[in-house]
Amino acid sequence: MAKGKRYTDATKRFDRDNLHSADEAIDLAKTLATAGFDETVELSIRLGVDPRKADQMVRGTVGLPAGTGTDVRIAVFAAGDAADAARAAGAELVGSDDLAAQVEGGMLDFDVAIATPDMMPTVGRLGRVLGPRGLMPNPKTGTVTTDVGKAVADFKGGKVEYRTDRYGNVHVPVGKASFNASDLALNLRAVVDELHRAKPASSKGRYLRRVGLSSTMGPGIKVDPARIHPVEDD
């Protein structure tokens, strides 16, 4: 298959065991993104946490200064003035019981779901549909809010969610391969800064255990956690 050959060729173009600086990894990821579309560049970090413990679950949102490069489709569960505010802010899907019925029927044509607190009893019934896809609104990520207009604008403007999986890994998109290297670096460092801010007090030892960067169709590039400079250092 073409994809397999492209991937194999890419793995031969750099030392996969070498720990690269963030800037080196970004340049490599851009060079290795040779698919026929604008690949997403994703940052993967293994954190020194035990997600089985409630106080070590790392979850939240981070604003990417250079944006995501992706047209984010947003569904908002709201009524009245809040629904009007969501539409004015550019939400693609806005509704209450009617929207919930569509989702229950299998309509999942959106990337982010936002809800007003009063709609959560309705949205809560969609847990089996939204939960496994990471779409369930949650106050910790700013997706359960009375100010839905601001939430829509934030996610349209480059805000992304992050959360640890059961192994302590966090996967966050940091832009597109077509981005300037400096914009990808800015986004990457913003994510790392945010993860440091979100570090649980009970997390002991090394916090950033393993860091990798890859494009959608490209191989993983190892990054040296000690060579990711915070945004403030630039």
Side-chain angles (χ1 to χ4, degrees), residues 1-22:
M1 290 194 320
K3 185 182 87 167
K5 183 177 185 302
R6 186 188 299 120
Y7 183 93
T8 303
D9 289 346
T11 63
K12 296 175 181 175
R13 293 167 61 186
F14 72 106
D15 184 350
R16 297 197 72 187
D17 294 322
N18 186 48
L19 285 176
H20 300 81
S21 71

Side-chain angles (χ1 to χ4, degrees), residues 131-149:
R133 294 167 177 81
L135 292 170
M136 192 68 183
N138 187 297
K140 288 184 178 178
T141 59
T143 48
V144 176
T145 175
T146 54
D147 194 349
V148 291

Side-chain angles (χ1 to χ4, degrees), residues 53-165:
K53 298 177 179 176
D55 62 346
Q56 290 194 31
M57 168 66 91
V58 180
R59 180 177 188 176
T61 58
V62 57
L64 300 181
T68 63
T70 301
D71 183 19
V72 180
R73 289 182 59 81
I74 299 178
V76 178
F77 296 89
D81 292 344
D84 293 338
R87 292 188 188 96
E92 283 76 10
L93 300 163
V94 182
S96 51
D97 291 337
D98 55 335
L99 181 56
Q102 290 179 54
V103 171
E104 206 161 20
M107 192 284 294
L108 291 163
D109 187 22
F110 52 92
D111 307 297
V112 176
I114 296 168
T116 52
D118 61 301
M119 286 300 302
M120 284 311 291
T122 298
V123 178
R125 296 199 294 272
L126 305 173
R128 282 183 296 180
V129 179
L130 298 178
R133 294 167 177 81
L135 292 170
M136 192 68 183
N138 187 297
K140 288 184 178 178
T141 59
T143 48
V144 176
T145 175
T146 54
D147 194 349
V148 291
K150 180 179 184 303
V152 170
D154 285 347
F155 280 99
K156 288 282 187 184
K159 190 175 187 179
V160 293
E161 293 187 44
Y162 64 85
R163 65 181 297 173
T164 44
D165 63 19

Side-chain angles (χ1 to χ4, degrees), residues 143-220:
T143 48
V144 176
T145 175
T146 54
D147 194 349
V148 291
K150 180 179 184 303
V152 170
D154 285 347
F155 280 99
K156 288 282 187 184
K159 190 175 187 179
V160 293
E161 293 187 44
Y162 64 85
R163 65 181 297 173
T164 44
D165 63 19
R166 57 177 164 173
Y167 303 108
N169 299 304
V170 173
H171 304 279
V172 187
V174 292
K176 295 289 186 177
S178 62
F179 277 25
N180 293 330
S182 58
D183 285 340
L184 286 170
L186 196 62
N187 283 349
L188 183 152
R189 287 164 184 154
V191 172
V192 172
D193 283 354
E194 167 59 26
L195 291 175
H196 277 299
R197 277 192 290 270
K199 180 182 179 181
S202 56
S203 171
K204 304 300 180 189
R206 205 152 44 93
Y207 184 52
L208 301 187
R209 296 285 177 88
R210 286 196 298 274
V211 181
L213 195 70
S214 65
S215 61
T216 305
M217 307 295 284

